[in-house]
């Protein structure tokens, strides 16, 4: 049988992928070890062999998914182009209208982390890694004279807080804003944080009605 020939690493990877899929469908609170086992057609005992508790499985699944998105973010930020272009590409990807797949998982994990210290530590560490990656490129842009942002670390915090909040709203109330409006707001938030011209908050457009 094919599944009997999987290595330990391959089996663990399959379990984490199944856990991520089940968390996105059921949420952390409702997830059961048996849900993950059934997803792969294996026994509960096999899941527990690799992850002794549901909490360990959830923390590892979240870390795996978040690190995938973090690697993608670093790839965008590491391109050979201006800091502004790299940051704009990253923000548009990170925003709720972009291709980042982890929003529902992040939101579920934020809620579960209130009661799970291990998950809180994992989520906090990864969240800080996102902010650090953004702040580093903002600092590069300042040094290159592209924009005058006086505090790259604070700008990264404010920017991610805005996008995280927008993601919560859009995940909870899907369709309440159009894609165009969200992209406009994300671009405007980045421009304000970088101190680019034409970023007067009074000039921001009113929300467009949802079209998608």
């Amino acid at each position: 049988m094919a599944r009997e020939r999987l290595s330990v690493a391959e089996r663990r990877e399959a379990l984490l992928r199944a856990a991520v899929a089940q968390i996105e469908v059921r949420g952390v609170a409702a997830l059961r070890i048996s849900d993950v086992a059934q997803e792969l057609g294996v026994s509960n005992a096999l899941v527990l062999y690799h992850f002794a508790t549901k909490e360990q499985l959830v923390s590892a699944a979240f870390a795996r998914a978040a690190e995938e998105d973090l690697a993608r973010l670093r790839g965008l930020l590491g391109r050979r182009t201006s800091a502004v272009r790299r940051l704009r590409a990253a923000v548009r990807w990170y925003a709720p209208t972009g291709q980042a797949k982890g929003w529902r998982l992040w939101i579920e994990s934020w809620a579960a982390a209130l009661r799970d210290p291990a998950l809180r530590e994992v989520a906090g560490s990864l969240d800080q890694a996102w902010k650090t990656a953004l702040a580093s490129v903002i600092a590069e842009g300042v040094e290159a004279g592209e924009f005058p942002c006086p505090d790259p670390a604070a700008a990264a915090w404010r920017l991610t807080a805005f996008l995280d909040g927008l993601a919560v709203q859009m995940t909870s109330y899907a369709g309440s804003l159009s894609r165009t409006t969200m992209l406009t707001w994300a671009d405007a938030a980045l421009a304000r944080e970088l101190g680019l011209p034409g970023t007067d908050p009074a000039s921001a457009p009113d929300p467009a009605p949802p079209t998608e």
Side-chain angles (χ1 to χ4, degrees), residues 1 53 75 123 161 187:
M1 293 104 154
T53 65
D187 286 344

Side-chain angles (χ1 to χ4, degrees), residues 55-67:
E55 289 73 23
Q56 287 184 15
L57 176 61
V58 168
S59 291
F62 169 73
R64 183 202 169 281
E67 284 166 356

Side-chain angles (χ1 to χ4, degrees), residues 132-202:
T132 298
L134 288 171
S136 177
V137 177
I138 295 173
E140 286 181 31
V142 172
E143 186 175 354
E146 292 186 41
F147 42 77
C149 178
D151 189 340
W157 268 81
R158 289 189 296 266
L159 184 60
T160 53
F162 170 77
L163 294 173
D164 289 348
L166 188 58
V168 171
Q169 288 287 315
M170 294 311 300
T171 300
S172 300
Y173 312 111
S176 55
L177 289 176
S178 71
R179 174 182 173 82
T180 298
T181 295
M182 284 188 285
L183 289 176
T184 298
W185 285 3
D187 286 344
L190 174 63
R192 284 194 300 272
E193 291 301 340
L194 300 184
L196 296 176
T199 57
D200 180 357

Side-chain angles (χ1 to χ4, degrees), residues 23 41 46 122 134 166 194 212:
I23 290 170
L46 180 63
V122 170
L134 288 171
L166 188 58
L194 300 184
E212 300 175 340

Side-chain angles (χ1 to χ4, degrees), residues 3 13 19 23 35 38-39 47 52 66 73 81 93 96 100 120 129 141 162 196:
R3 70 167 178 257
E13 176 70 10
I23 290 170
D35 297 323
Q38 289 173 14
E39 173 89 1
V47 181
L73 176 73
T81 186
W93 172 78
R120 183 162 60 246
F162 170 77
L196 296 176

Side-chain angles (χ1 to χ4, degrees), residues 58-173:
V58 168
S59 291
F62 169 73
R64 183 202 169 281
E67 284 166 356
E68 269 195 353
D69 272 353
L70 180 58
R72 175 62 174 152
L73 176 73
R74 286 171 171 158
L76 291 170
L77 294 176
R79 290 176 173 175
R80 291 182 174 275
T81 186
S82 69
V84 169
R85 286 180 179 273
R86 285 180 281 157
L87 289 163
R88 185 171 289 125
V91 164
R92 281 179 165 246
W93 172 78
Y94 182 77
T97 56
Q99 296 175 343
K101 303 299 184 185
W103 279 121
R104 186 173 297 277
L105 188 65
W106 269 103
I107 293 167
E108 284 284 349
S109 297
W110 284 333
L114 294 173
R115 299 172 180 82
D116 184 341
L119 183 56
R120 183 162 60 246
E121 183 176 352
V122 170
S125 175
L126 289 164
D127 180 71
Q128 185 58 53
W130 282 73
K131 292 180 172 69
T132 298
L134 288 171
S136 177
V137 177
I138 295 173
E140 286 181 31
V142 172
E143 186 175 354
E146 292 186 41
F147 42 77
C149 178
D151 189 340
W157 268 81
R158 289 189 296 266
L159 184 60
T160 53
F162 170 77
L163 294 173
D164 289 348
L166 188 58
V168 171
Q169 288 287 315
M170 294 311 300
T171 300
S172 300
Y173 312 111

